[in-house]
């Protein structure tokens, strides 16, 4: 075993081997993978191997499609045969909302070059001859779905990496990790020590154990997931080599596919079961949990009714294996704050389907400092310190139960809440506020009043039951005094004799003078938007930086990673927990009394509360961009039409300046614009597609209804030549194209007169 490498990957499952393979593809070949048992000994060996492209998330769709494209050519590329069956798949819709979800995903997928299709019941039956289509409204067909042998996939990735120069050491358990004085990582194993510049934690459900070796807590719990494999079924034997498409019945919550001449049935059951709450047994490897088919009975019955041949076969095998879950079910991928060169790539619940894309993303983090795609939903910094063990468990179980739930645009799921409350929480609750959690903080989303709520669901792709509540709250903001409790903003205090000069290099715009406030954008070296902060200069070399609640770890990491080394010229202090925010910002302990005083004073004028949903509508009308919705690392401030916040000729320079010079010279390929949409009963959800004639020309990054303007609004990036007010385009909403006209921002109060009043 070599004693030094550029990168060490810990864990030889599908994900670790993919990370290793992708590193070598980027030319980083001085790499070593350490596996405590055999390759695939964790969750990989027993996975069902389903490889969907489908996801309601734009990012995951991209990630999974990278995987399926890679899987199709990997065997040949590296000279290792893989059983990979591209059978196509059908998802069934029992409800109108599910059909709406399908329509939304079909259009997203098309924008990524993936042709999904909506099938009628007759078309479903034609593709799957053993399925009853009674009570089915429609199906979604993914021609590129299928199943892969996870062990062969892992071995092929390992072979490709080895052939390019990587070393793989099996039966090599990492037992300790420390940082050397030179800033490298010293990794101790049962077979010796290896030192490296970078480490990737790809230890699957043991990702938390590896993180603990460097003093970090990762929010991961292990749940059990089961599938059954049947004996051969004569009808399938009779079909010879022909394979059925993979079937998913998300409204019932199971998948079913052909395995040799039998079927696999895998439910995501309500009785989600957690294991190892007090630690993972050291000896567990290449093992399964005991069968627990009692949990699956209802699902087996439903599946037999849907595909009667399933009920004719005996069960050959039950696979009940460990599957790691972070609170939201997405993996933890990205840099570990405060640990330069240490990365996570673990906690995958769909780690076969995502292995290819995840390997690309993490390899780019390590090799280039940033991945090509903005993968915030997977970013290991998205969970804040409140995501402790109990929270993670509650949320993971809820996520497992909703694994096939409908991906509504706005849904506030209850598990693990409340985690963090402002002092005004109980006051607002007593007034009937409905809450949503943002960065763990309970924030009122709206305040229903008698007569407000119309019949209909609280969550929907169409206008939900609370539409009238939001209209009332927006009107109140427009006409009277209104108050919003907005706890949890991320806040940093930056001080020190070098503070001004340092901030000047960090932001693309101008650092405000003492007593002034300015909105500022922090760019990556490639010009992409890393974060947005409101910078206030309290005095010379003393600043307050305020950003989104969810970005606390992410933003702190970015700031600290760029601090000048040595000395005390710049100090960054995270003061988020110390201060709350109403409309005005004040010391926390006074929030409740300030709230009461505002109400007392406002009652004479007719004061109202309002919530986040109203705020979202108000900001759409003002075209204020939302971080990680409208602003991501895939867009620069010039694309985001934020030119006025970029000082391209700043003499001292700033991070990303050169990339923005280059972009300014040719002009950005896309520009951010508001669109006024002729919507019917559904507004444009994020990642709706913008068309000019039959050509896709842009992407909606957020949308909704503007209650003061009485118009449906979408904020979108469109091809630059079309980003001209008055241009007529179309936005695809739930399968239909709606006329959309490019507006001039801000749509509401264009002269900002009310803002300045
Ligand atoms: C029943 C079941 C069916 C599934 N079906 C599917 C499916 O159809 N499609 C899909 O996409 N996903 C599926 N999954 C999920 C999938 O199995 C996992 O997401 C995937 O295998 C995770 O891969 P990984 O490489 O991240 O982790 P693992 O495969 O768990 O690999 C982690 C590796 O790290 C090693 N390791 C841990 N600690 C150390 C240490 N200290 N030193 C050295 N090495 C260490 C382990 O030994 C292990 O080999 C299923 C899961 C289950 C339980």
């Amino acid at each position: 075993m070599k004693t030094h490498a550029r990168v060490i990957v810990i864990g030889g499952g599908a994900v670790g081997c993919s990370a290793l393979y992708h590193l070598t593809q980027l030319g980083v070949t001085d790499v070593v993978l350490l596996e405590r048992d055999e390759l695939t000994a964790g969750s990989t060996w027993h996975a069902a191997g389903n490889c969907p492209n489908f996801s309601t998330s734009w990012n995951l769709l991209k990630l999974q499609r990278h995987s399926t494209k890679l899987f199709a050519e990997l065997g040949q590329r590296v000279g290792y045969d893989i059983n990979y069956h591209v059978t196509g798949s059908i998802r069934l819709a029992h409800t109108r909302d599910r059909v709406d979800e399908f329509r939304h995903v079909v259009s997203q997928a098309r924008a990524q070059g993936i042709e999904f299709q909506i099938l009628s019941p007759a078309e479903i039956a034609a593709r799957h001859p053993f399925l009853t289509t009674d009570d089915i409204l429609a199906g979604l067909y993914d021609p590129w779905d299928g199943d892969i042998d996870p062990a062969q996939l892992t071995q092929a990735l390992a072979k490709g990496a080895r052939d390019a120069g990587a070393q793989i050491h099996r039966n090599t358990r990492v037992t300790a990790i420390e940082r050397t004085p030179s800033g490298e990582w010293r990794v101790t194993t049962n077979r010796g020590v290896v030192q490296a510049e970078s480490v990737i934690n790809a230890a699957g459900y043991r990702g938390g154990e590896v993180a603990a070796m460097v003093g970090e807590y990762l929010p991961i719990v292990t749940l059990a997931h089961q599938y059954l494999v049947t004996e051969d079924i004569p009808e399938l034997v009779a079909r010879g080599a022909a394979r059925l498409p993979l079937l998913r019945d998300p409204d019932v919550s199971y998948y079913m596919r052909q395995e040799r001449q039998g079927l696999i049935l895998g439910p995501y059951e309500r009785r989600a079961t957690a294991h190892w709450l007090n630690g993972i047994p050291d000896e567990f490897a290449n093992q399964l949990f005991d069968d627990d088919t009692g949990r699956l009975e209802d699902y087996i019955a439903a599946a037999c009714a849907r595909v009667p041949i399933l009920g004719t076969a005996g069960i050959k095998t039950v696979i009940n294996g460990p599957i790691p879950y972070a609170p939201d079910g997405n993996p933890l991928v990205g840099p570990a704050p405060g640990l330069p060169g240490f990365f996570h790539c673990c906690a995958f619940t769909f780690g076969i389907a995502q292995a290819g894309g995840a390997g690309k993303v993490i390899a780019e983090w390590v090799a280039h400092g940033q991945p090509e795609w903005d993968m915030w939903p997977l970013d290991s910094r998205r969970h804040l310190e409140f995501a402790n063990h109990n929270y993670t468990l509650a949320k993971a179980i809820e996520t497992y139960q909703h694994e096939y739930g409908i991906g509504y645009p706005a849904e506030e799921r209850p598990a693990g809440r409340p985690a963090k409350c402002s002092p005004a929480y109980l006051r607002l609750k007593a007034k009937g506020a409905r809450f949503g959690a943002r960065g763990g903080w309970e924030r009122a989303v709206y305040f229903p009043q008698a007569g407000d709520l119309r019949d209909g669901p609280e969550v929907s792709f169409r206008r939900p039951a609370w539409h009238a509540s939001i209209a009332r709250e927006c009107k109140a903001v427009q006409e009277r005094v209104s108050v919003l409790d907005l706890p949890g903003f991320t806040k940093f205090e930056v001080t020190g004799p070098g503070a001004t000069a340092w901030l000047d290099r960090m932001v693309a715009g101008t650092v405000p003078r003492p007593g002034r406030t300015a909105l500022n954008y922090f760019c990556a070296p490639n010009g992409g938007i890393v974060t947005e902060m409101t910078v206030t200069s309290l005095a010379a070399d003393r600043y307050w930086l305020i950003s989104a609640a969810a970005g606390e770890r992410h933003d702190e990491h970015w700031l600290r990673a760029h601090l000048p080394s040595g000395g005390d010229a710049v100090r960054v202090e995270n003061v988020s927990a110390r201060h709350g925010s109403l409309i005005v910002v004040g010391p926390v302990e006074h929030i409740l009394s300030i709230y009461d005083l505002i109400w007392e004073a406002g009652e004479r004028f007719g004061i109202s509360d309002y919530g986040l949903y109203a705020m979202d509508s108000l900001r759409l009308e003002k075209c204020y961009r939302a971080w990680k919705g409208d602003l991501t690392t895939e867009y620069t401030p010039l694309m985001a039409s934020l030119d006025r916040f970029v000082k391209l000729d700043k003499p001292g320079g700033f991070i990303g300046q050169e990339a923005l010079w280059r972009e300014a010279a040719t002009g950005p390929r896309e520009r951010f614009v508001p669109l006024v949409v002729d919507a019917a009963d559904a507004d444009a959800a994020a990642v709706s597609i913008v068309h000019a004639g039959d050509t896709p020309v842009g992407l909606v990054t957020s949308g909704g209804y503007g209650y003061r303007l009485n118009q449906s609004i979408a904020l979108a990036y469109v091809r630059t030549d079309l980003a001209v007010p008055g241009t007529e385009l179309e936005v695809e909403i739930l399968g239909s194209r709606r006329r959309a006209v490019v507006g001039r921002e801000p749509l509401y109060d264009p002269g900002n007169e009310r803002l300045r009043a």
Side-chain angles (χ1 to χ4, degrees), residues 73-202:
E73 55 190 49
L74 182 68
Q76 213 172 16
R77 224 197 255 178
V78 303
Y80 190 98
D81 286 343
I82 311 175
N83 275 317
Y84 178 39
H85 309 111
V86 181
T87 56
S89 70
I90 301 169
R91 274 166 204 266
L92 303 177
H94 295 237
T95 64
R96 200 170 95 111
D97 278 12
R98 183 67 74 180
V99 179
D100 280 348
E101 180 197 55
F102 287 176
R103 288 195 178 123
H104 183 54
V105 176
V106 165
S107 119
Q108 271 191 51
R110 195 178 315 121
Q112 293 190 17
I114 313 168
E115 284 299 328
F116 290 166
Q117 242 179 291
I118 302 277
L119 303 180
S120 67
E123 289 167 328
I124 296 170
R127 288 185 187 272
H128 196 305
F130 304 110
L131 184 95
T132 59
T133 53
D134 308 347
D135 68 356
I136 296 298
L137 297 184
L140 180 138
Y141 184 66
D142 170 0
W144 304 111
D145 204 335
D147 63 273
I148 197 161
D149 181 317
Q152 290 173 345
L153 167 67
T154 309
Q155 295 295 350
L157 290 163
K159 178 171 189 303
R162 271 198 204 100
D163 290 350
Q167 284 190 3
I168 296 181
H169 299 284
R170 296 171 295 124
N171 301 309
T172 307
R173 173 193 298 228
V174 173
T175 53
I177 307 171
E178 18 168 21
R179 199 153 166 72
T180 66
S182 67
E184 291 201 322
W185 293 100
R186 189 182 143 86
V187 176
T188 306
T189 77
N190 56 329
R191 296 179 56 216
V193 172
V194 200
Q195 199 158 307
E197 288 168 29
S198 299
V199 173
I200 298 175
N201 167 14

Side-chain angles (χ1 to χ4, degrees), residues 461-500:
F461 283 91
R462 293 163 198 272
R463 304 240 165 87
W466 36 263
H467 192 62
S469 305
I470 313 307
R472 182 179 38 69
E473 288 172 24
C474 290
K475 194 163 185 303
V477 172
Q478 186 179 18
E479 294 175 355
R480 301 194 301 276
V481 186
S482 296
V483 56
L484 169 68
D485 177 38
L486 207 52
F489 272 120
T490 295
K491 304 172 203 80
F492 302 103
E493 186 161 334
V494 177
T495 52
T500 305

Side-chain angles (χ1 to χ4, degrees), residues 351-367:
I352 308 305
Q354 293 170 0
K360 167 184 155 65
V361 169
I362 200 67
E364 289 171 352
W365 266 119
V366 174

Side-chain angles (χ1 to χ4, degrees), residues 11 13-15 35-36 43-44 46 48-50 174 225 348-353:
V15 171
E35 163 55 52
R36 55 167 251 163
S43 289
T44 295
H46 53 65
N50 305 336
V174 173
H225 176 59
F348 283 80
T349 59
F350 295 98
I352 308 305

